[in-house]
Amino acid sequence: MRSRSEKDMADDGVGLPVEVLKQPNFEHCAKLYFWFIWLNPIWALNLTILLLLNFFEVPLWCREDFPNPCGDPEKFYLGGLPYLTRTESLILEVTCVVILAVHTFFPIAFNGNKLFWDTRLDNIKVLLLVLLAGDTIFNLVYVAPWGPIEHLPFRLGPYIRVLIVVVNLRGLRDCVKTLAGILGDFLDIAALLLLFLLFSSWLAFILFEDTIQGKTLFKTYGDTLYQMSILYTTSNNPDVWLPAYKQSRFSAIFFVIYILFGVYFVANLVLSVVYDSFKGQLAKLLVEAENARQEVLSAAFDLLDDQGRGYLDKQQCGKLFNEIKTYRTLPHIADEDIEAIFYALDDSGDFKINREELADLCNAISLKFDKADEPAYLEKFPRLYHSQKFEALKRFVRSDLFEKIVIGMLLVNLVAVIIETTLDIQNSTSQKSWQYVEFALGWLYVVEMVLKVVVYGFNNYWRSAQNRFDFVITVTIVVAETLTYTLPNKINFFANEEWIRYLLIARLLRLTRLLVLMERYQVMVSTFLKLIPSLMPYLGITFCIMCFFCTLGVQAFGGIIYDGNPRLPGSAIEENDYMVKNFNDFPSGMVVLFDLLITGNWHIWMDGFQEVTGKWWTQFYFWSFYVLAVLFLFNLVVAFVLEAFFAEMEMHSTAKESEVASDGDSSDDEQKLQGNGRVSRDPRDPRNKVKRARNDNVSSLLNHILSAEIEKTRSMKENA
């Protein structure tokens, strides 16, 4: 059996890969594998630094000395983040490359040399590592004072860093695999969209040839195609067809039909086709993950079946259940229930647990349970902890009344903050009295915190993210306010009332718990929390795409937007006062790309940068980002969120109806069983924990959304 630390790693979602399970020296390989997993925080931190290094590196176009390597920040409209010196960036990058090399080659220790080099993913990681190391060496030659390179117009490293992050994170890899699978369908429907734009633009060019519209904006077919393509995104609506509308009101008919057909039919057709393909690819990914899981379970069964009989007997299962009891995230299994569970798993009734029956147990174990409460510290003093007065205190703290009192305090706190802030803006002398009210409320929160710690125990209290948030905010505010009132004007840092007010406002975020009390909002919050794990890879890919394009933008457009540039006057950027949003450094570029992502006046940057650079390929840069990040990926995320919400509403309604029907049909039987102590509505009861874990499982939501696609994928694999 593994050590306790290794069990806790498994509790948190870490499992042995099937390659390790099949190694002849399994125990030694498993130990090395868990060392590799134990170092995950270092690997994650290293990848984070690699990705964020782009934000603090000096742009390549900057050639001045520190402290202003890019010249006057006010003249070049820089992003505002501090820059690392070129030497500091080089040292940090070399350190990251060394750690990345250890991370990349460590799996050889437990997978073996042959398996490592036969794995395509490992080969890709090695290739990217070599490319990044080569770019780092090239950068070393550039930074070194003795180096022959005086100017470096291009670097491959920032692009490689993004790719390294993608290939080293499984969620991002699966996301890329899914998106690559729907690329063919996307290109097919994109061709249809292109035909629509070409035909509509040709029609517009013919219709408005001898009008003011044709003489100003539709001069050539290329100009018409450009303007009509932007109109498809509605970014230049209605400005682009105002000349035609001024000359003839009937011209609105053409543009209205174009917008209605393009935005409400063609755009949704593109989205529906792409999303349907996306669901198919996502279902395929889920089926592949389930097949890989079954392979791991089969290997685990072989390890448990040390005698090679093809089944597990009651004694072997008893040892397994005793091991399961040490897992904090699984319901406790009493010794007297082990035999009953064995017979419940034995579907065939032959007193043997085969592979399929063990898989049923593992399906239950895979659910995410709340971790079992640890004994509170005061339980070491049973006379006090179980005394009549302390039992009354525990019932009060755990009651709904206590929660309602805290919510009432928060509402009073909200009113106090609003009034105090308003009086502060008006410079009213009454502000001081409301500050004392907030100070008193702060100590009431301390009392609430102490009561919860005493009743639940600190470890159980700290396990909740909400409690951690409350603890940090409460302690910080109370300490700051106490020092402010007791030592006025002596500690300048704590005397700053502005940041204390921000913390007070942050505390009011606890009012979001009111949403959970309303059924409709409860479903919304539940859907949001379930979707976070599934959406994070796609949001992460969006961020990586932005980093990729931002690096390209900084290298292509860096340093061209500045006061005194003769090409700026009269450009779209200067006329709209968009000069502060540019690609002069990485932070500024990410802000521009965010604006492009939400398609807010995005054509202004495209027109402006083309006017400043005078290069035709500038349009290709902005159109590529729009098609990839907005038309393809961002709309996909929106569609997925919408369908997930409707699916969650349907699941919630079905579960509620089923629960009501079940309660109505079996109320008499349950009363009898409860009298015998066999049925419990206690949320800490293992059976209720299983129900709650199933309802909160992300897989249940995905399987509900993709049920038809999963069945189709499985049938195709069976027929193949």
Side-chain angles (χ1 to χ4, degrees):
M1 294 298 178
R2 291 171 287 165
S3 66
R4 182 57 184 262
S5 61
E6 292 166 352
K7 296 189 192 78
D8 290 342
M9 290 180 198
D11 285 346
D12 296 327
V14 177
L16 285 170
V18 66
E19 292 85 1
V20 176
L21 293 174
K22 293 181 178 180
Q23 293 285 351
N25 52 344
F26 160 70
E27 294 185 0
H28 176 69
C29 293
K31 193 170 185 179
L32 291 173
Y33 173 76
F34 280 111
W35 268 105
F36 180 75
I37 295 301
W38 186 77
L39 293 173
N40 264 348
I42 296 178
W43 312 141
L45 178 62
N46 188 56
L47 294 175
T48 303
I49 293 175
L50 270 178
L51 194 60
L52 295 182
L53 184 59
N54 294 327
F55 286 85
F56 301 96
E57 279 187 321
V58 177
L60 295 178
W61 66 269
C62 300
R63 306 179 190 179
E64 303 293 333
D65 296 327
F66 275 81
N68 295 317
C70 299
D72 185 2
E74 299 297 328
K75 177 181 178 180
F76 285 93
Y77 307 106
L78 302 176
L81 289 180
Y83 294 134
L84 297 172
T85 66
R86 292 182 175 87
T87 303
E88 291 170 344
S89 298
L90 179 62
I91 293 174
L92 188 59
E93 187 169 17
V94 169
T95 304
C96 289
V97 169
V98 172
I99 296 175
L100 183 65
V102 177
H103 181 202
T104 303
F105 290 107
F106 197 117
I108 295 178
F110 52 83
N111 281 342
N113 192 63
K114 184 179 184 303
L115 180 61
F116 178 86
W117 292 109
D118 288 343
T119 305
R120 184 173 60 178
L121 177 62
D122 290 328
N123 290 332
I124 294 175
K125 290 181 180 180
V126 172
L127 175 61
L128 293 176
L129 174 64
V130 171
L131 291 175
L132 182 61
D135 179 83
T136 304
I137 294 174
F138 204 78
N139 188 36
L140 171 63
V141 177
Y142 167 63
V143 172
W146 43 263
I149 304 175
E150 296 183 359
H151 176 55
L152 195 62
F154 174 80
R155 277 199 66 189
L156 188 63
Y159 305 97
I160 300 299
R161 296 172 197 163
V162 177
L163 296 177
I164 286 175
V165 171
V166 171
V167 300
N168 278 281
L169 297 180
R170 179 179 298 177
L172 297 183
R173 291 200 309 268
D174 291 342
C175 180
V176 170
K177 185 178 179 180
T178 303
L179 296 177
I182 66 178
L183 190 59
D185 293 329
F186 175 74
L187 293 177
D188 291 339
I189 197 65
L192 178 63
L193 172 60
L194 180 60
L195 290 176
F196 167 74
L197 293 175
L198 291 172
F199 175 76
S200 301
S201 301
W202 174 81
L203 191 60
F205 180 64
I206 297 299
L207 290 176
F208 299 102
E209 182 179 5
D210 296 326
T211 64
I212 297 176
Q213 183 80 22
K215 295 176 181 179
T216 55
L217 295 175
F218 292 175
K219 296 179 182 179
T220 64
Y221 178 71
D223 293 338
T224 307
L225 177 61
Y226 175 71
Q227 295 293 343
M228 293 293 287
S229 298
I230 297 176
L231 182 59
Y232 171 80
T233 70
T234 69
S235 292
N236 60 352
N237 181 63
D239 298 352
V240 69
W241 52 282
L242 277 179
Y245 186 69
K246 288 179 180 179
Q247 186 175 9
S248 174
R249 300 297 189 268
F250 291 102
S251 63
I253 298 175
F254 171 81
F255 291 101
V256 168
I257 293 176
Y258 172 79
I259 293 174
L260 289 177
F261 189 77
V263 174
Y264 294 102
F265 178 73
V266 177
N268 289 323
L269 179 64
V270 172
L271 180 59
S272 62
V273 170
V274 172
Y275 183 63
D276 183 68
S277 178
F278 166 76
K279 290 203 300 182
Q281 292 297 321
L282 190 58
K284 186 184 299 183
L285 193 66
L286 291 176
V287 171
E288 290 176 356
E290 178 62 24
N291 292 337
R293 181 173 177 272
Q294 293 301 326
E295 185 180 358
V296 173
L297 290 179
S298 178
F301 183 88
D302 293 335
L303 288 174
L304 293 171
D305 182 22
D306 51 359
Q307 300 179 18
R309 297 177 297 180
Y311 65 88
L312 305 179
D313 57 25
K314 186 165 63 175
Q315 183 179 6
Q316 289 172 315
C317 288
K319 293 180 180 179
L320 176 62
F321 294 151
N322 286 326
E323 180 71 10
I324 289 175
K325 287 194 295 184
T326 62
Y327 284 65
R328 292 179 286 109
T329 57
L330 298 179
H332 179 75
I333 302 176
D335 292 337
E336 58 270 18
D337 292 336
I338 290 179
E339 185 173 357
I341 294 175
F342 175 82
Y343 291 125
L345 288 173
D346 185 17
D347 297 331
S348 58
D350 56 0
F351 303 100
K352 301 173 184 178
I353 302 299
N354 56 33
R355 295 178 187 271
E356 290 74 18
E357 292 164 343
L358 181 66
D360 293 338
L361 173 65
C362 295
N363 288 333
I365 291 177
S366 66
L367 298 176
K368 190 67 175 179
F369 296 96
D370 296 331
K371 293 186 177 181
D373 288 342
E374 299 178 8
Y377 177 78
L378 290 181
E379 290 190 42
K380 296 180 179 179
F381 309 96
R383 294 185 59 183
L384 170 64
Y385 192 77
H386 298 291
S387 64
Q388 186 175 359
K389 292 183 178 180
F390 203 87
E391 289 291 341
L393 176 64
K394 288 190 289 184
R395 286 194 299 271
F396 171 67
V397 173
R398 290 169 176 166
S399 67
D400 293 336
L401 177 62
F402 184 79
E403 182 71 13
K404 293 178 180 178
I405 292 174
V406 174
I407 292 176
M409 291 166 49
L410 287 169
L411 292 174
V412 173
N413 202 165
L414 174 63
V415 174
V417 169
I418 293 174
I419 295 177
E420 190 271 334
T421 304
T422 304
L423 295 175
D424 181 33
I425 295 174
Q426 298 174 351
N427 294 322
S428 173
T429 56
S430 303
Q431 173 197 4
K432 204 69 176 176
S433 58
W434 286 99
Q435 288 181 344
Y436 286 118
V437 172
E438 294 173 358
F439 180 69
L441 287 170
W443 279 100
L444 288 177
Y445 292 127
V446 173
V447 173
E448 176 218 356
M449 181 181 66
V450 171
L451 287 176
K452 286 185 176 180
V453 170
V454 168
V455 170
Y456 294 106
F458 183 79
N459 290 337
N460 299 326
Y461 171 85
W462 191 255
R463 191 174 295 150
S464 168
Q466 176 182 295
N467 289 339
R468 292 196 295 270
F469 174 80
D470 294 344
F471 181 90
V472 173
I473 294 293
T474 299
V475 171
T476 304
I477 292 177
V478 169
V479 170
E481 289 181 335
T482 302
L483 292 176
T484 300
Y485 290 123
T486 57
L487 301 173
N489 302 323
K490 291 186 178 180
I491 305 179
N492 295 329
F493 178 76
F494 289 106
N496 187 345
E497 297 179 357
E498 290 297 325
W499 74 272
I500 295 177
R501 183 178 296 116
Y502 295 146
L503 291 174
L504 289 171
I505 295 173
R507 178 194 289 164
L508 299 179
L509 292 175
R510 296 175 63 185
L511 286 170
T512 53
R513 71 174 70 178
L514 291 175
L515 297 177
V516 183
L517 302 179
M518 303 177 65
E519 182 175 350
R520 180 171 295 274
Y521 291 115
Q522 184 179 11
V523 176
M524 293 181 183
V525 174
S526 174
T527 304
F528 173 75
L529 294 178
K530 282 185 180 181
L531 282 179
I532 288 178
S534 299
L535 285 180
M536 285 305 294
Y538 295 93
L539 297 179
I541 282 295
T542 303
F543 181 77
C544 289
I545 291 175
M546 291 176 65
C547 290
F548 203 90
F549 272 86
C550 188
T551 300
L552 181 59
V554 172
Q555 293 183 357
F557 310 125
I560 65 174
I561 304 297
Y562 63 92
D563 279 339
N565 187 339
R567 287 180 172 269
L568 271 178
S571 66
I573 292 178
E574 192 269 342
E575 290 178 351
N576 291 275
D577 197 21
Y578 282 2
M579 292 184 294
V580 293
K581 293 187 175 182
N582 51 63
F583 287 99
N584 286 347
D585 61 4
F586 205 87
S588 299
M590 291 295 285
V591 174
V592 174
L593 290 175
F594 175 78
D595 289 331
L596 299 180
L597 190 65
I598 60 176
T599 63
N601 293 333
W602 70 281
H603 65 287
I604 293 179
W605 280 284
M606 182 166 58
D607 293 339
F609 275 97
Q610 184 180 16
E611 292 167 352
V612 174
T613 61
K615 305 294 184 181
W616 64 270
W617 50 261
T618 303
Q619 290 188 17
F620 181 76
Y621 171 85
F622 288 94
W623 275 114
S624 299
F625 182 80
Y626 173 81
V627 171
L628 186 60
V630 180
L631 191 62
F632 181 50
L633 186 57
F634 194 68
N635 286 332
L636 205 60
V637 173
V638 173
F640 183 66
V641 171
L642 290 175
E643 180 157 355
F645 175 74
F646 292 133
E648 179 67 18
M649 288 286 289
E650 182 181 348
M651 290 173 60
H652 179 79
S653 176
T654 304
K656 186 176 180 180
E657 293 174 359
S658 176
E659 182 179 350
V660 171
S662 177
D663 289 345
D665 294 340
S666 59
S667 57
D668 295 336
D669 294 336
E670 283 194 4
Q671 289 178 0
K672 296 177 182 179
L673 293 173
Q674 284 177 342
N676 295 328
R678 293 173 58 189
V679 172
S680 172
R681 294 189 181 274
D682 187 350
R684 292 170 292 179
D685 186 89
R687 285 158 291 194
N688 294 327
K689 281 188 176 183
V690 171
K691 292 179 181 179
R692 190 166 62 252
R694 282 180 179 146
N695 291 335
D696 294 339
N697 196 2
V698 180
S699 298
S700 63
L701 179 61
L702 292 177
N703 287 326
H704 185 84
I705 296 174
L706 306 171
S707 57
E709 287 77 11
I710 290 176
E711 288 299 324
K712 181 179 178 181
T713 302
R714 286 175 176 169
S715 62
M716 290 176 61
K717 285 184 175 293
E718 291 175 357
N719 295 331

